Amino acid sequence: MLKALAYIFGFLLLGELITYFFEIPIAGNILGMFLIFLALRLKIIKLQDVKPASDKLIKYLVLFFIPYGVGLMVYFEIIADYWLPISVAVIASTVITLYVSAIIIEKFGK
């Protein structure tokens, strides 16, 4: 479990460092997630090495969204003023994401 957490947080740290030092306009956690995906895909690390920690983190994933939900309350007036464009953007991006995911799964799924 400790080894799995070390891999996950190591790639998170690597993504944050790359973003900081190279001033890339991509969030460090997204870059870290992409790097760990590449490492798994290229078989640099094994899935069994990260699976114990990732299973536990996914189990409690909903807890990670609470700070963001509370943080949205700071922008309540802006959200109230622009609720229609925000709603349209959220619905449209959800539909597009579902559509693209379905195409990818259909094309590459086993």
Side-chain angles (χ1 to χ4, degrees):
M1 180 75 157
L2 192 57
K3 180 180 176 183
L5 281 172
Y7 273 124
I8 291 171
F9 287 121
F11 277 98
L12 172 64
L13 179 64
L14 182 62
E16 292 289 344
L17 288 173
I18 290 172
T19 299
Y20 178 77
F21 286 116
F22 293 106
E23 298 179 3
I24 299 173
I26 299 173
N29 56 350
I30 301 297
L31 188 57
M33 188 169 39
F34 179 72
L35 292 172
I36 198 168
F37 169 76
L38 282 178
L40 286 166
R41 191 78 176 146
L42 297 173
K43 308 237 190 278
I44 296 170
I45 58 174
K46 297 175 185 168
L47 182 60
Q48 293 79 14
D49 292 340
V50 294
K51 190 156 176 56
S54 64
D55 286 345
K56 290 289 185 194
L57 290 172
I58 287 175
K59 184 177 178 182
Y60 299 107
L61 185 66
V62 73
L63 295 176
F64 298 125
F65 289 102
I66 292 173
Y68 294 108
V70 172
L72 279 176
M73 294 299 106
V74 174
Y75 302 104
F76 183 77
E77 290 82 20
I78 295 172
I79 294 170
D81 291 340
Y82 297 101
W83 69 271
L84 185 60
I86 292 171
S87 298
V88 169
V90 167
I91 292 169
S93 64
T94 301
V95 169
I96 291 169
T97 301
L98 288 172
Y99 183 70
V100 170
S101 298
I103 290 172
I104 290 171
I105 289 172
E106 186 176 90
K107 187 168 185 155
F108 296 111
K110 294 180 180 178

